Amino acid sequence: MEILLMGLLGFSILLFFLSFFQKDRYAAIEKEVEDLSMTILQENYQMKKRLRVLEEELMMDSEPSIKRSASVKKPIHEVVRNQVIALYQQGIPLEQIAKQSALTKSDVQHIISTL
């Protein structure tokens, strides 16, 4: 019985020391995930930077036209016009149609009056 216990103790000590020399399987995966995470963060930062520059360019280009056409309304797209008509024919109130189509109530009334 003592020999069996000594053998098991020796075997457990041997396995314990072997565990220090065994290659960590998850270290490579952790490294890949960390690299992927850093790459995504860098790409996200660059994309936000480009978007900011693009927005600034658009704001600079559109400022003169805003001053010129402050009183001129933008034309309503045909798809939005058809949506307003379809909603009106379904019996939906004008306020709800205006909210769904992102138009003013007067724009919705104008579209409906052209039927």
Side-chain angles (χ1 to χ4, degrees):
M1 185 67 140
E2 288 181 16
I3 296 175
L4 181 62
L5 286 176
M6 294 297 268
L8 287 175
L9 181 63
F11 185 66
S12 65
I13 292 173
L14 176 69
L15 288 177
F16 180 72
F17 284 117
L18 286 177
S19 69
F20 287 112
F21 299 109
Q22 188 177 12
K23 183 178 178 182
D24 188 14
R25 289 183 251 165
Y26 299 108
I29 295 173
E30 288 177 7
K31 177 80 170 122
E32 286 180 28
V33 169
E34 185 177 326
D35 290 344
L36 181 63
S37 175
M38 288 301 293
T39 303
I40 289 172
L41 286 173
Q42 288 173 349
E43 288 176 359
N44 190 13
Y45 172 74
Q46 289 175 352
M47 189 67 69
K48 285 182 180 180
K49 192 173 167 183
R50 290 179 192 157
L51 184 63
R52 192 175 305 119
V53 169
L54 185 62
E55 286 175 344
E56 288 174 1
E57 288 178 3
L58 287 174
M59 291 298 283
M60 292 181 126
D61 289 344
S62 66
E63 283 179 7
S65 64
I66 290 174
K67 291 176 184 174
R68 272 187 286 132
S69 63
S71 62
V72 178
K73 286 188 175 181
K74 291 176 19 178
I76 299 171
H77 197 274
E78 192 65 30
V79 174
V80 176
R81 185 181 305 274
N82 291 338
Q83 178 190 16
V84 168
I85 293 169
L87 291 173
Y88 177 73
Q89 290 173 346
Q90 292 174 8
I92 297 176
L94 295 179
E95 291 84 12
Q96 189 174 354
I97 295 173
K99 195 180 293 183
Q100 286 182 353
S101 61
L103 296 173
T104 63
K105 188 175 176 184
S106 62
D107 288 339
V108 172
Q109 287 174 340
H110 176 71
I111 292 171
I112 292 171
S113 68
T114 60
L115 285 178

